[in-house]
Amino acid sequence: MKSILPIFRCLNSLERNVEKCKIFTSSDLCKVVIQFFCRHGIRRTHNVCFQESQPLQVIFEKNMCSNMLIIQPRVLAEAVVLFTSSQEEVTLAVTPLSVCLKSSSDEPMDLTSSVYSEMFVGPDEFDFFQIGADTEITFCFKELKGMLTFSEATHAPIAIHFDFPGKPMALSIDDMLLEANFILATLADEPSRASSPPSLCLSQKQKRSDLMCSTNNNSKTGKNATSKAPGCILRKAAPKRLYPNETQTDIPALENCGSPIMKRVNEDISEVPESSVSNTEEGPGSSYLRQFSCVFFGAVSSDQRQHFNYPFDSLATASDSEEDMNNGSSSTF
Amino acid sequence: MKFRAKIVDAACLNHFTRVSATIAKLAKTCTLRISPQKLNFIVSDKAASGGVSMWCELEQENFFSEFQMEGVSAENNAIYLELLSENLSRALKTAQNARALKIKLTNKHFPCLTVSIELLSVSSSSRIVTHDIPVKVIPRKLWKDLQEPTVPVSDVSIYLPVLKTMKSIVEKMKNISNHLIIEANLSGELNLKIETELVCVTTHFKDLGNPQSASEDASQDRDPEQMAEVHIDIRKLLQFLAGQQVNPTKAVCNIVRNKIIHFDLLHEDVSLQYFIPAFS
């Protein structure tokens, strides 16, 4: 994501200047090309190198969970404020009559330990409240905060699907424009039991290339004991550590791929491989990808000039580019 | 030992939150002393505070609609608790728009000050927030170090200028040197001085006014123009000034020449005393 973010950084200036944005892959080279067609005939091109990877995918039927809550992000944000940023894990405790979010810690308390905090929320604060049985699940606080930041931008309600401790939980947002699912692991009751029942066996998405899968290396919690065998990756929970978002498909370290040579635009957006697009969304097929692309393209003016019919001028080679080549992305102006 | 108290008034709650926020800025760890009429936040100079000490006092009936306490024993009817000031401040900050706030001393697995907040919410049901702040009960034998400091007989007593102004000046001076000289006289003049090899910087405050001296005779003998000075660590003064979010109702500074400087502030009905010793 780090290579994509700077390209879309100045939202205000993008909205003012950009008439159309095109994202496509170059058929020969391992590059995603993002092109901004700006006012005054200016065309800005960014080349982002990618490398094939096998994204992890969790098989998780959120609709099969016996417990489901739908809540406004604002309410969850008010709960999250109670905890310090050093809080690692929080527990969601539900009964048919109440929902409680509380801090979770294994260590015995002493003077220097952090404050224990909890908040009880009544069922009528939820847009939807379905609780099968009394449950308490514990999961990573940082992931919840990250997901909450994401959802506050969309203003859509958050759906929480969960079952029993040890079984993953899902936080979902379903908006007009996008659907996001965050699957989090939860702490199992007994350390000896593996937290991933067989249903969590990860399978690989349909591949277009024959590259070996790469491991997810950027996780800070050091959780990854992912085996390299493509096909099935079974993750065992350590008693204490929790695993953050498992649907993350990170863009692996990008290589410096030399001078960008412009080629004819490939108009078929659906060919963009999922690993280089937003890593929070799942869903098979290109119809989803086109849906995603509307998020960016909706704001563009409908004044369509047929830029993509012109062959690309190679205005400058990489050596003229001001961008830092070490990111593996470069732009030509 | 028992303690339970309740605040229902929004203004009282805000005031108490502000007091705890000020304490959190002044000292990382402090002692909360609970007695039948008062609450005190104490930092003793024996603690690892570099000789700085603080005594903050508030009348409990100005804040709490209900207040019950039972000290260690009938003769020693007080409770001394040590806690991280930041914990209390953060817990109180989550109580904005609360319908009611209760504080009590509990002992679940560890002695805690439990802050229980009933929050108003948009829907009909209210939300209950609870914070368990870990505390350490201070044994009676250590109480003698935590008594109200005696106000020293000062050479000069003067009203302070606007604290915010003083703070911004002291902040800039800190960049030049850590050694600050404060001097004042009985004619309402106060100077802040920094002296280094390369530069001397002095800021003069005039027409500040001096509080009426208790002993009129002593002040007759003193030359009103004569300055009493004390050399202190500028960072300690800056920490004190940075902790004051609101300008106090009354602010007095007492200087004991070359010994100690004593700040006596009154924020509405809460008194705060802060002692900074001179460089030894």
Side-chain angles (χ1 to χ4, degrees), chain B residues 12-82:
Chain B
C12 293
L13 182 53
N14 286 338
H15 193 20
F16 192 61
T17 306
R18 276 200 304 272
V19 172
S20 81
T22 304
I23 303 294
K25 289 211 167 90
L26 293 176
K28 184 158 172 249
T29 313
C30 74
T31 301
L32 174 63
R33 174 181 178 259
I34 305 168
S35 54
Q37 310 301 331
K38 302 189 215 155
L39 279 187
N40 294 90
F41 291 98
I42 307 167
V43 174
S44 96
D45 55 8
K46 304 272 189 312
S49 55
V52 161
S53 60
M54 178 189 82
W55 181 268
C56 175
E57 182 165 299
L58 50 96
E59 298 283 324
Q60 59 86 352
E61 61 184 18
N62 291 343
F63 291 86
F64 299 95
S65 58
E66 287 167 29
F67 191 93
Q68 297 156 25
M69 61 112 5
E70 241 177 63
V72 169
S73 65
E75 306 88 45
N76 300 289
N77 197 16
I79 303 173
Y80 286 69
L81 302 172
E82 185 181 310

Coordinates of all heavy atoms in Angstrom, one line a residue, chain B residues 12-82:
Chain B
C12 N -19.5 20.8 38.7 CA -18.6 20.2 39.6 C -17.7 19.1 39.0 O -16.5 19.0 39.3 CB -19.4 19.5 40.8 SG -20.3 20.7 41.8
L13 N -18.4 18.3 38.1 CA -17.6 17.3 37.5 C -16.5 17.8 36.6 O -15.4 17.4 36.6 CB -18.6 16.4 36.7 CG -18.0 15.2 35.9 CD1 -17.2 14.3 36.9 CD2 -19.1 14.4 35.3
N14 N -16.9 18.9 35.8 CA -15.9 19.5 35.0 C -14.7 20.1 35.8 O -13.6 20.0 35.4 CB -16.5 20.6 34.1 CG -17.4 20.1 33.0 OD1 -17.2 18.9 32.6 ND2 -18.3 20.8 32.5
H15 N -15.1 20.7 36.9 CA -14.1 21.3 37.7 C -13.1 20.3 38.3 O -11.9 20.4 38.3 CB -14.7 22.1 38.8 CG -13.8 23.0 39.6 ND1 -12.6 23.5 39.1 CD2 -13.9 23.6 40.8 CE1 -12.1 24.3 39.9 NE2 -12.8 24.4 41.0
F16 N -13.7 19.2 38.7 CA -12.9 18.1 39.3 C -12.0 17.5 38.2 O -10.8 17.2 38.5 CB -13.8 17.0 39.9 CG -13.1 16.0 40.8 CD1 -12.4 16.4 41.9 CD2 -13.1 14.7 40.5 CE1 -11.7 15.5 42.7 CE2 -12.4 13.8 41.3 CZ -11.7 14.2 42.4
T17 N -12.6 17.4 37.0 CA -11.8 16.8 35.9 C -10.6 17.7 35.6 O -9.5 17.3 35.4 CB -12.7 16.7 34.7 OG1 -13.8 15.9 35.0 CG2 -11.9 16.0 33.5
R18 N -10.9 19.1 35.7 CA -9.8 20.0 35.4 C -8.7 19.9 36.5 O -7.5 20.0 36.2 CB -10.3 21.4 35.3 CG -10.9 21.8 34.0 CD -11.0 23.3 33.8 NE -11.8 24.0 34.9 CZ -13.1 24.1 34.9 NH1 -13.8 23.7 33.8 NH2 -13.7 24.7 35.9
V19 N -9.1 19.8 37.7 CA -8.1 19.7 38.8 C -7.3 18.5 38.6 O -6.0 18.5 38.7 CB -8.8 19.6 40.2 CG1 -7.9 19.3 41.3 CG2 -9.6 20.9 40.5
S20 N -7.9 17.4 38.2 CA -7.1 16.1 38.1 C -6.2 16.2 36.9 O -5.1 15.7 36.8 CB -8.0 14.9 38.0 OG -8.5 14.7 36.8
A21 N -6.6 17.0 35.8 CA -5.8 17.1 34.7 C -4.6 18.0 35.0 O -3.5 17.7 34.5 CB -6.6 17.8 33.5
T22 N -4.8 19.0 35.8 CA -3.6 19.8 36.3 C -2.7 19.0 37.1 O -1.5 19.1 36.9 CB -4.2 21.0 37.1 OG1 -5.1 21.7 36.4 CG2 -3.0 21.9 37.6
I23 N -3.2 18.2 38.0 CA -2.3 17.3 38.8 C -1.5 16.4 37.9 O -0.3 16.2 38.1 CB -3.1 16.5 39.8 CG1 -4.0 17.4 40.7 CG2 -2.2 15.6 40.6 CD1 -3.2 18.3 41.6
A24 N -2.2 15.9 36.9 CA -1.5 14.9 36.0 C -0.4 15.6 35.3 O 0.7 15.0 34.9 CB -2.5 14.3 35.0
K25 N -0.5 16.9 35.0 CA 0.6 17.6 34.3 C 1.7 17.9 35.3 O 2.9 18.1 34.9 CB 0.1 18.9 33.7 CG -0.8 18.8 32.5 CD -0.7 20.0 31.6 CE -1.3 19.7 30.3 NZ -2.7 20.1 30.3
L26 N 1.4 18.0 36.6 CA 2.4 18.4 37.5 C 3.2 17.3 38.1 O 4.4 17.4 38.4 CB 1.8 19.2 38.7 CG 1.2 20.5 38.3 CD1 0.5 21.2 39.5 CD2 2.3 21.5 37.8
A27 N 2.6 16.1 38.2 CA 3.3 15.0 38.8 C 2.8 13.7 38.2 O 1.6 13.5 38.1 CB 3.1 15.0 40.3
K28 N 3.8 12.8 37.9 CA 3.4 11.5 37.4 C 2.7 10.7 38.4 O 1.6 10.1 38.1 CB 4.6 10.8 36.9 CG 4.4 9.6 36.2 CD 5.5 9.1 35.2 CE 5.3 7.7 34.7 NZ 6.1 6.7 35.2
T29 N 3.2 10.6 39.6 CA 2.6 9.9 40.7 C 2.3 10.8 41.8 O 3.1 11.7 42.1 CB 3.7 8.8 41.2 OG1 4.2 8.2 40.1 CG2 3.0 7.8 42.1
C30 N 1.2 10.6 42.4 CA 0.8 11.5 43.5 C 0.1 10.7 44.5 O -0.3 9.5 44.3 CB 0.0 12.7 43.0 SG -1.7 12.3 42.6
T31 N -0.1 11.3 45.7 CA -0.8 10.7 46.8 C -2.2 11.4 46.9 O -2.2 12.6 46.9 CB -0.1 10.8 48.1 OG1 1.2 10.2 47.9 CG2 -0.8 10.1 49.2
L32 N -3.2 10.6 47.0 CA -4.5 11.2 47.2 C -4.9 10.9 48.7 O -4.9 9.8 49.1 CB -5.6 10.5 46.3 CG -7.0 10.9 46.5 CD1 -7.3 12.3 46.3 CD2 -8.0 10.0 45.7
R33 N -5.1 12.0 49.4 CA -5.5 11.9 50.8 C -6.9 12.1 51.0 O -7.4 13.2 50.5 CB -4.6 12.8 51.6 CG -5.0 12.9 53.1 CD -4.1 13.9 53.7 NE -4.3 14.2 55.1 CZ -5.0 15.2 55.6 NH1 -5.6 16.1 54.8 NH2 -5.2 15.3 56.9
I34 N -7.6 11.2 51.5 CA -9.1 11.3 51.7 C -9.4 11.5 53.2 O -9.0 10.7 54.0 CB -9.8 10.1 51.2 CG1 -9.4 9.8 49.7 CG2 -11.3 10.3 51.3 CD1 -9.9 8.5 49.2
S35 N -10.0 12.6 53.5 CA -10.4 12.8 54.9 C -11.8 13.3 55.0 O -12.4 13.6 53.9 CB -9.4 13.8 55.6 OG -9.4 15.0 54.8
P36 N -12.5 13.4 56.1 CA -13.9 13.6 56.1 C -14.3 14.9 55.4 O -15.4 15.0 54.8 CB -14.3 13.7 57.6 CG -13.2 12.9 58.2 CD -12.0 13.0 57.4
Q37 N -13.5 15.9 55.5 CA -13.9 17.2 54.9 C -13.2 17.5 53.6 O -13.7 18.3 52.8 CB -13.6 18.4 55.8 CG -14.1 18.2 57.3 CD -15.6 18.0 57.3 OE1 -16.3 18.5 56.4 NE2 -16.1 17.3 58.2
K38 N -12.0 16.9 53.4 CA -11.2 17.4 52.3 C -10.7 16.2 51.4 O -10.6 15.1 51.9 CB -10.0 18.1 52.8 CG -10.3 19.3 53.6 CD -9.1 20.1 53.9 CE -9.2 20.7 55.3 NZ -7.9 21.0 55.9
L39 N -10.3 16.6 50.2 CA -9.4 15.7 49.4 C -8.1 16.5 49.1 O -8.2 17.7 48.8 CB -10.1 15.5 48.1 CG -11.2 14.4 48.0 CD1 -11.6 14.2 46.5 CD2 -10.7 13.1 48.5
N40 N -7.0 15.8 49.2 CA -5.8 16.4 48.9 C -5.0 15.6 47.9 O -5.0 14.4 47.9 CB -4.9 16.5 50.2 CG -5.5 17.4 51.2 OD1 -6.2 17.0 52.0 ND2 -5.1 18.7 51.1
F41 N -4.3 16.3 47.0 CA -3.4 15.6 46.1 C -2.0 16.1 46.5 O -1.7 17.3 46.6 CB -3.6 16.1 44.6 CG -4.9 15.6 44.0 CD1 -6.0 16.4 44.0 CD2 -5.0 14.3 43.5 CE1 -7.2 15.9 43.5 CE2 -6.1 13.8 43.0 CZ -7.3 14.6 42.9
I42 N -1.2 15.1 46.8 CA 0.1 15.5 47.5 C 1.3 14.9 46.7 O 1.3 13.7 46.3 CB 0.1 14.9 48.9 CG1 -1.1 15.3 49.7 CG2 1.4 15.3 49.7 CD1 -1.3 14.5 51.0
V43 N 2.3 15.7 46.6 CA 3.6 15.2 46.1 C 4.6 15.7 47.2 O 4.7 16.9 47.5 CB 4.0 15.8 44.8 CG1 5.4 15.4 44.4 CG2 3.1 15.4 43.7
S44 N 5.2 14.7 47.8 CA 6.1 15.1 48.9 C 7.5 15.3 48.3 O 7.9 14.7 47.3 CB 6.1 14.1 50.0 OG 7.2 13.2 49.8
D45 N 8.3 16.1 49.0 CA 9.7 16.3 48.5 C 10.6 15.2 48.7 O 11.7 15.2 48.2 CB 10.3 17.6 49.0 CG 10.2 17.6 50.6 OD1 9.9 16.6 51.1 OD2 10.6 18.7 51.1
K46 N 10.1 14.2 49.4 CA 10.9 13.0 49.6 C 10.9 12.2 48.4 O 11.7 11.3 48.1 CB 10.4 12.2 50.8 CG 10.3 12.9 52.1 CD 11.7 12.8 52.8 CE 11.6 13.4 54.2 NZ 11.0 14.6 54.4
A47 N 9.8 12.3 47.6 CA 9.6 11.5 46.4 C 10.6 11.9 45.4 O 11.3 12.9 45.5 CB 8.2 11.7 45.9
A48 N 10.7 11.1 44.3 CA 11.6 11.3 43.3 C 11.2 12.5 42.4 O 10.9 12.3 41.2 CB 11.8 10.1 42.5
S49 N 11.0 13.6 43.0 CA 10.5 14.8 42.2 C 11.5 15.9 42.2 O 11.2 17.0 41.8 CB 9.2 15.3 42.8 OG 9.4 15.6 44.2
G50 N 12.7 15.6 42.5 CA 13.8 16.6 42.5 C 13.6 17.7 43.5 O 14.0 18.8 43.3
G51 N 13.0 17.3 44.7 CA 12.9 18.3 45.7 C 11.6 19.1 45.6 O 11.3 19.9 46.5
V52 N 10.9 19.0 44.5 CA 9.7 19.8 44.3 C 8.6 19.1 45.2 O 8.5 17.9 45.3 CB 9.3 19.7 42.8 CG1 7.9 20.1 42.6 CG2 10.2 20.7 42.1
S53 N 7.8 19.9 45.8 CA 6.6 19.3 46.5 C 5.3 20.1 46.2 O 5.4 21.3 45.7 CB 6.9 19.3 48.0 OG 7.1 20.6 48.5
M54 N 4.2 19.4 46.3 CA 3.0 20.0 45.9 C 1.9 19.7 46.9 O 1.9 18.5 47.5 CB 2.6 19.5 44.5 CG 1.2 20.0 44.1 SD 0.7 19.1 42.6 CE 0.0 17.7 43.3
W55 N 1.0 20.6 47.2 CA -0.1 20.3 48.1 C -1.3 21.0 47.5 O -1.4 22.2 47.4 CB 0.2 20.9 49.5 CG -0.8 20.7 50.5 CD1 -1.9 21.5 50.8 CD2 -1.0 19.6 51.4 NE1 -2.7 21.0 51.8 CE2 -2.1 19.8 52.1 CE3 -0.3 18.4 51.6 CZ2 -2.6 18.9 53.1 CZ3 -0.7 17.5 52.5 CH2 -1.9 17.7 53.3
C56 N -2.3 20.1 47.1 CA -3.5 20.6 46.5 C -4.7 20.2 47.4 O -4.7 19.1 47.8 CB -3.7 20.0 45.1 SG -5.2 20.5 44.3
E57 N -5.5 21.2 47.7 CA -6.6 20.9 48.7 C -7.9 21.4 48.1 O -8.0 22.5 47.6 CB -6.3 21.6 50.0 CG -7.3 21.4 51.1 CD -6.7 21.8 52.4 OE1 -5.7 21.2 52.8 OE2 -7.3 22.7 53.0
L58 N -8.9 20.5 48.3 CA -10.3 20.9 48.0 C -11.3 20.4 49.0 O -11.1 19.4 49.6 CB -10.6 20.5 46.5 CG -10.5 19.0 46.2 CD1 -11.7 18.2 46.4 CD2 -10.0 18.9 44.7
E59 N -12.3 21.2 49.2 CA -13.3 20.9 50.2 C -14.3 19.9 49.5 O -14.8 20.3 48.4 CB -14.1 22.1 50.6 CG -13.3 23.2 51.3 CD -13.0 22.9 52.7 OE1 -13.9 22.3 53.3 OE2 -11.9 23.2 53.2
Q60 N -14.5 18.8 50.0 CA -15.2 17.8 49.3 C -16.7 18.2 49.1 O -17.3 17.8 48.1 CB -15.2 16.4 50.1 CG -15.7 16.3 51.5 CD -17.2 16.1 51.6 OE1 -17.9 16.1 50.6 NE2 -17.6 15.9 52.8
E61 N -17.2 19.0 50.0 CA -18.6 19.3 49.8 C -18.9 20.3 48.7 O -20.0 20.5 48.3 CB -19.2 19.8 51.1 CG -18.6 21.1 51.6 CD -19.1 21.5 53.0 OE1 -19.8 20.7 53.7 OE2 -18.9 22.7 53.3
N62 N -17.8 20.9 48.2 CA -18.0 21.7 47.0 C -18.1 20.9 45.7 O -18.4 21.5 44.7 CB -16.8 22.7 46.9 CG -16.8 23.7 48.0 OD1 -17.8 23.9 48.6 ND2 -15.6 24.3 48.2
F63 N -17.9 19.6 45.8 CA -17.9 18.8 44.6 C -18.9 17.7 44.6 O -19.5 17.4 43.7 CB -16.5 18.2 44.3 CG -15.4 19.3 44.0 CD1 -14.8 20.0 45.0 CD2 -15.2 19.5 42.7 CE1 -13.8 20.9 44.6 CE2 -14.2 20.5 42.3 CZ -13.6 21.2 43.3
F64 N -18.9 17.0 45.8 CA -19.6 15.7 45.9 C -21.0 15.9 46.5 O -21.1 16.5 47.5 CB -18.8 14.7 46.7 CG -17.4 14.4 46.0 CD1 -16.3 15.1 46.5 CD2 -17.3 13.5 45.0 CE1 -15.1 14.9 45.9 CE2 -16.1 13.2 44.5 CZ -15.0 13.9 44.9
S65 N -22.0 15.3 45.9 CA -23.3 15.3 46.5 C -23.4 14.3 47.6 O -24.2 14.4 48.5 CB -24.4 15.1 45.4 OG -24.1 13.8 44.8
E66 N -22.6 13.2 47.5 CA -22.5 12.2 48.5 C -21.1 11.9 48.8 O -20.3 11.8 47.9 CB -23.2 10.9 48.1 CG -24.7 11.0 48.0 CD -25.3 9.8 47.3 OE1 -24.6 8.7 47.3 OE2 -26.3 10.0 46.6
F67 N -20.8 11.8 50.1 CA -19.4 11.5 50.4 C -19.3 10.8 51.7 O -19.8 11.3 52.7 CB -18.6 12.9 50.6 CG -17.1 12.8 50.7 CD1 -16.3 12.9 49.5 CD2 -16.5 12.6 51.9 CE1 -15.0 12.8 49.6 CE2 -15.1 12.6 52.0 CZ -14.3 12.7 50.9
Q68 N -18.8 9.6 51.7 CA -18.7 8.8 52.9 C -17.3 8.2 52.9 O -16.8 7.6 52.0 CB -19.6 7.6 52.9 CG -21.1 7.9 52.9 CD -21.8 6.7 52.4 OE1 -21.4 5.6 52.4 NE2 -23.0 7.0 51.8
M69 N -16.6 8.3 54.1 CA -15.3 7.7 54.2 C -15.1 7.2 55.6 O -15.7 7.7 56.6 CB -14.2 8.6 53.8 CG -14.1 9.9 54.6 SD -12.7 10.1 55.7 CE -11.6 8.8 55.5
E70 N -14.3 6.2 55.7 CA -13.9 5.6 57.0 C -12.5 5.3 56.9 O -12.0 4.5 56.1 CB -14.7 4.3 57.2 CG -15.6 4.2 58.4 CD -16.3 2.9 58.4 OE1 -15.5 1.9 58.6 OE2 -17.5 2.9 58.3
G71 N -11.7 6.0 57.7 CA -10.3 5.9 57.6 C -9.7 4.6 58.2 O -10.5 3.7 58.5
V72 N -8.5 4.6 58.3 CA -7.8 3.4 58.9 C -8.3 3.1 60.3 O -8.5 2.0 60.6 CB -6.3 3.7 58.9 CG1 -5.5 2.7 59.7 CG2 -5.7 3.8 57.5
S73 N -8.5 4.1 61.1 CA -9.0 3.9 62.4 C -9.7 5.2 62.9 O -9.7 6.2 62.2 CB -7.9 3.6 63.4 OG -7.0 4.7 63.6
A74 N -10.3 5.2 64.0 CA -11.1 6.4 64.4 C -10.1 7.5 64.7 O -10.5 8.7 64.4 CB -11.9 6.0 65.7
E75 N -9.0 7.3 65.3 CA -8.0 8.4 65.6 C -7.4 8.8 64.3 O -7.0 10.0 64.2 CB -6.9 7.9 66.5 CG -7.4 7.4 67.9 CD -7.6 5.9 67.7 OE1 -6.7 5.2 67.1 OE2 -8.6 5.4 68.2
N76 N -7.1 7.9 63.4 CA -6.5 8.3 62.1 C -7.5 8.1 61.0 O -7.4 7.2 60.2 CB -5.3 7.3 61.9 CG -4.3 7.4 63.0 OD1 -3.6 8.4 63.2 ND2 -4.2 6.3 63.8
N77 N -8.4 9.1 61.0 CA -9.5 8.9 60.1 C -9.1 9.5 58.7 O -9.7 10.6 58.3 CB -10.8 9.6 60.6 CG -12.0 9.2 59.9 OD1 -12.0 8.2 59.2 ND2 -13.1 9.9 60.1
A78 N -8.2 8.9 58.1 CA -7.8 9.3 56.7 C -7.4 8.1 55.9 O -7.1 7.1 56.5 CB -6.7 10.3 56.8
I79 N -7.4 8.3 54.6 CA -6.9 7.2 53.7 C -5.9 7.9 52.8 O -6.2 8.9 52.2 CB -8.1 6.7 52.8 CG1 -9.2 6.1 53.7 CG2 -7.6 5.6 51.9 CD1 -10.4 5.7 52.9
Y80 N -4.8 7.3 52.7 CA -3.7 7.8 51.8 C -3.5 6.7 50.7 O -3.2 5.6 50.9 CB -2.4 7.9 52.5 CG -2.3 9.1 53.5 CD1 -3.1 9.2 54.6 CD2 -1.5 10.2 53.2 CE1 -3.0 10.2 55.5 CE2 -1.4 11.3 54.1 CZ -2.2 11.3 55.2 OH -2.1 12.4 56.1
L81 N -3.7 7.2 49.4 CA -3.6 6.3 48.3 C -2.6 6.8 47.3 O -2.7 8.0 47.0 CB -4.9 6.2 47.6 CG -6.1 5.7 48.4 CD1 -7.4 5.8 47.5 CD2 -5.9 4.2 48.8
E82 N -1.7 6.0 46.8 CA -0.8 6.4 45.8 C -1.3 5.9 44.5 O -1.7 4.8 44.3 CB 0.6 5.8 46.1 CG 1.7 6.3 45.1 CD 3.0 5.7 45.5 OE1 3.4 5.7 46.6 OE2 3.6 5.2 44.5

